[in-house]
Amino acid sequence: MQVQDTPEEWRVTATATPFAGKKTSVRSDDVVMPDGSVARRDYQVHPGSVAVLALDEEDRVLLLKQYRHPVRQKLWEIPAGLLDVPGENPLHAAQRELYEEAHVKAGDWRVLTDVYTTPGGCDEAVRIFLARDLAEAEGERFEVSEEEADMETARVPVDQLVRGVLAGELHNNCLVVGVLSLVAARSGDGLDALRPADAEWPARPFEA
């Protein structure tokens, strides 16, 4: 038995957008169930995101600590950002986020994993990259604002992050998934066997 997610789309008899924000919106769909009944499903429509697990030569992960108002916490996270332009190349977006949030560039990029963050209530798809061969970016630092103006940065050993995840001390989705995926990849075929940075992404098709 092959365990693999498969595309499928149930019939929608009516749809509405009761809220439209700056970057995301809320959609209400009336969906036909297998027994013929119709159920309403409300969910957030999201452009998609990229995240970067940046690993340095000392086996430390580059982290940012940022205030997240919905959960009323400052969370340790890996650099991440929205796919602001439809069809945007996710690698280019990830490189931009690493530069803007950490003023860092990377010489080696791979796809670590692809996830839906909360598929029961949001269509957000995230591609998490592994970035290695790190160096400071050239030029002036990107000028940040709002929550990002209060960010802290750190480089933390992978083993320490694994312990923090399993102890319930770290909660950011991309950090948790990224770190555990890194460990799993190492114990399997190795990091060089990961997908190339330009691997196909059906959830968010993009131009080369």
Side-chain angles (χ1 to χ4, degrees):
M1 176 182 176
Q2 184 177 13
V3 180
Q4 181 176 338
D5 298 336
T6 55
E8 185 166 344
E9 188 168 350
W10 292 1
R11 187 164 66 92
V12 175
T13 60
T15 187
T17 304
F19 170 79
K22 183 178 179 181
K23 297 292 185 181
T24 66
S25 60
V26 173
R27 182 175 297 162
S28 294
D29 289 344
D30 291 341
V31 186
V32 179
M33 299 289 113
D35 64 359
S37 63
V38 176
R40 176 157 293 179
R41 295 291 177 259
D42 302 320
Y43 58 99
Q44 182 184 25
V45 178
H46 194 285
S49 306
V50 292
V52 185
L53 192 143
L55 186 68
D56 70 14
E57 69 281 354
E58 297 180 37
D59 206 40
R60 300 175 304 175
V61 176
L62 172 64
L63 298 184
L64 312 167
K65 194 173 190 181
Q66 184 171 347
Y67 176 65
R68 294 301 186 183
H69 187 69
V71 295
R72 306 301 199 273
Q73 291 191 40
K74 291 186 77 171
L75 302 180
W76 283 108
E77 306 178 351
I78 56 178
L82 298 175
L83 290 168
D84 293 312
V85 181
E88 182 177 15
N89 187 302
L91 174 59
H92 298 167
Q95 291 170 333
R96 179 189 69 231
E97 293 300 331
L98 185 60
Y99 161 71
E100 291 182 356
E101 294 191 345
H103 200 66
V104 168
K105 63 180 181 179
D108 184 88
W109 290 83
R110 312 251 174 186
V111 174
L112 190 52
T113 191
D114 300 323
V115 294
Y116 290 114
T117 54
T118 46
C122 179
D123 70 351
E124 181 184 13
V126 181
R127 168 156 283 187
I128 304 176
F129 288 91
L130 172 66
R132 294 179 291 176
D133 187 18
L134 307 183
E136 185 175 356
E138 296 90 358
E140 297 182 2
R141 296 188 69 94
F142 182 78
E143 186 174 347
V144 296
S145 61
E146 299 176 342
E147 288 93 342
E148 293 182 353
D150 187 50
M151 285 194 307
E152 304 172 46
T153 62
R155 296 196 181 197
V156 182
V158 172
D159 290 347
Q160 181 179 341
L161 293 177
V162 172
R163 290 193 295 270
V165 168
L166 298 180
E169 298 167 352
L170 300 169
H171 305 89
N172 175 261
N173 181 286
C174 292
L175 172 59
V176 171
V177 173
V179 166
L180 298 185
S181 294
L182 174 71
V183 173
R186 282 176 166 173
S187 66
D189 295 329
L191 300 184
D192 290 335
L194 290 169
R195 287 173 291 162
D198 60 353
E200 180 183 3
W201 191 17
R204 290 294 185 274
F206 60 92
E207 300 176 2

